[in-house]
Amino acid sequence: MHLDQQNETSVTEFLLLGFGTLPDLQTLLFLLFLVIYVATMSGNILIVLLVVADPHLHTPMYFFLGKLSCLEICYSSTILPQLLVGLLTGDRAISFSGCLTQLYFFGSLVATECLLLSAMSYDRYVAICHPLHYTTRMRGRAWLQLAGGSWLGGFLGNAITTLSVSQLSFCDHNTIDHFFCDLIPLVKLSCDDPQLMETVASMLCLIFPLVPFLLTVTSYICIITTILRIPSTRGRQKVFSTCSSHLIVVTIYYGTLLIVYMFPTTDLLGNFKKVLSVAYTVLTPLANPLLYSLRNKEVKEALRKVSRKFILQ
């Protein structure tokens, strides 16, 4: 086969298998994911509005929380509408360009979330380990630099991956065993060596989140060490409460993300990985506003104020 023929992409669209192996549950899954999507959008939009409206929440921690909620809104909207249409109509086809677009935005938002979670852990590290320097280190300009750098780094970094995938050749097989265009299931369909491509894709997926993950872990090691030095139990609980919600989110997000991309996909692990993918793509954006609002006094107080204003009106 000539090189120009090998690089030619004959596949014009892909079929997302999704949850097609569960035909009797399509309606139930549609209703479930629709409720999750509406709840995710409502919860994260509410967090953004509260952070903007309440002056007491104009601090670095809530600034990052607002940016995280904005990211989750984009994150969910990249995957769930396509999934809902497929479950409702049975049409799971997505064009080649549409698949690459979804891959680019999804991968960029994953990388951005890793960087943003790292920035949030750094904020908590400075607040707990260096409280006297917190005001000087976390000025308004620093907030913008960390948040802007997270978004810019995520989108620029994933452009390399998406560009590489666009150069692959896809010949006959066009069924993606997933509910969205993810990197590893997509490159496995390539005419090139699928095992080699999956290995390369797994390495890329691990390299990009690896640095922010290590920074986050380092921050929390320092945070936990500082907390354990506090003599009173009440003092330790009070300080730990300021970062417990973020720690839960980080654990769930990175835990599922690393399992999905760290191990090669086998027949046994295929469906298990798909379930884990639901955890970090669908459930984490839903859990974030719940964790940060239910476990946070300032957010609950801001919500009470807004509720009183609406009741009085």
Side-chain angles (χ1 to χ4, degrees):
M1 182 180 288
H2 295 294
L3 184 60
D4 56 348
Q5 291 177 320
Q6 186 176 359
N7 288 334
E8 183 181 354
T9 299
S10 58
V11 172
T12 58
E13 67 175 19
F14 294 102
L15 295 177
L16 296 170
L17 183 60
F19 302 96
T21 53
L22 305 170
D24 298 332
L25 298 177
Q26 299 299 294
T27 303
L28 179 61
L29 288 172
F30 170 78
L31 294 174
L32 175 62
F33 284 117
L34 179 62
V35 170
I36 290 174
Y37 184 51
V38 171
T40 300
M41 297 297 285
S42 302
N44 283 291
I45 289 172
L46 179 61
I47 292 290
V48 173
L49 292 176
L50 289 176
V51 170
V52 172
D54 194 326
H56 293 95
L57 300 183
H58 293 176
T59 63
M61 183 171 72
Y62 296 108
F63 171 81
F64 289 123
L65 177 57
K67 294 295 175 285
L68 181 64
S69 292
C70 287
L71 188 146
E72 302 294 21
I73 292 168
C74 300
Y75 197 64
S76 299
S77 299
T78 302
I79 295 173
L80 282 175
Q82 176 79 28
L83 175 60
L84 290 170
V85 170
L87 290 171
L88 182 64
T89 65
D91 182 11
R92 299 186 179 89
I94 183 171
S95 66
F96 182 80
S97 58
C99 189
L100 283 182
T101 301
Q102 188 182 61
L103 173 68
Y104 172 67
F105 281 102
F106 167 75
S108 299
L109 291 167
V110 168
T112 301
E113 181 153 359
C114 290
L115 292 168
L116 195 57
L117 289 174
S118 180
M120 294 174 75
S121 66
Y122 174 74
D123 171 68
R124 292 298 82 207
Y125 160 75
V126 178
I128 294 171
C129 300
H130 302 281
L132 297 178
H133 300 131
Y134 184 73
T135 305
T136 55
R137 283 197 191 183
M138 298 303 295
R139 291 176 178 172
R141 188 177 178 182
W143 312 356
L144 294 173
Q145 287 174 340
L146 287 170
S150 298
W151 284 86
L152 187 64
F155 277 80
L156 287 179
N158 193 58
I160 301 171
T161 305
T162 308
L163 185 61
S164 301
V165 173
S166 69
Q167 302 303 310
L168 297 177
S169 53
F170 298 90
C171 303
D172 301 320
H173 303 291
N174 69 336
T175 302
I176 300 176
D177 188 13
H178 217 323
F179 57 90
F180 67 97
C181 288
D182 198 8
L183 181 61
I184 293 178
L186 181 59
V187 299
K188 285 183 72 176
L189 299 180
S190 171
C191 299
D192 304 298
D193 186 349
Q195 188 172 4
L196 174 63
M197 292 309 301
E198 182 180 1
T199 303
V200 172
S202 299
M203 289 176 64
L204 286 172
C205 290
L206 287 174
I207 288 170
F208 283 112
L210 186 60
V211 173
F213 173 69
L214 292 176
L215 289 174
T216 301
V217 170
T218 303
S219 295
Y220 271 101
I221 289 174
C222 296
I223 288 170
I224 292 171
T225 303
T226 301
I227 290 174
L228 292 176
R229 290 174 183 165
I230 299 174
S232 66
T233 303
R234 185 179 180 84
R236 287 196 295 269
Q237 290 175 345
K238 185 178 179 180
V239 173
F240 186 73
S241 66
T242 64
C243 59
S244 57
S245 298
H246 181 253
L247 184 58
I248 293 171
V249 170
V250 166
T251 303
I252 296 172
Y253 187 73
Y254 274 115
T256 54
L257 196 67
L258 291 175
I259 291 173
V260 168
Y261 293 110
M262 185 181 294
F263 299 102
T265 304
T266 61
D267 293 337
L268 182 63
L269 285 176
N271 290 327
F272 179 60
K273 282 190 173 187
K274 197 182 293 185
V275 173
L276 287 180
S277 296
V278 172
Y280 76 84
T281 59
V282 178
L283 298 182
T284 302
L286 172 66
N288 282 356
L290 294 175
L291 287 170
Y292 281 109
S293 59
L294 294 177
R295 299 174 61 87
N296 195 291
K297 293 180 181 179
E298 288 84 359
V299 174
K300 287 190 285 188
E301 183 59 33
L303 186 58
R304 287 194 201 98
K305 290 178 182 177
V306 172
S307 302
R308 284 197 211 103
K309 287 182 180 179
F310 276 105
I311 293 171
L312 292 175
Q313 288 176 355

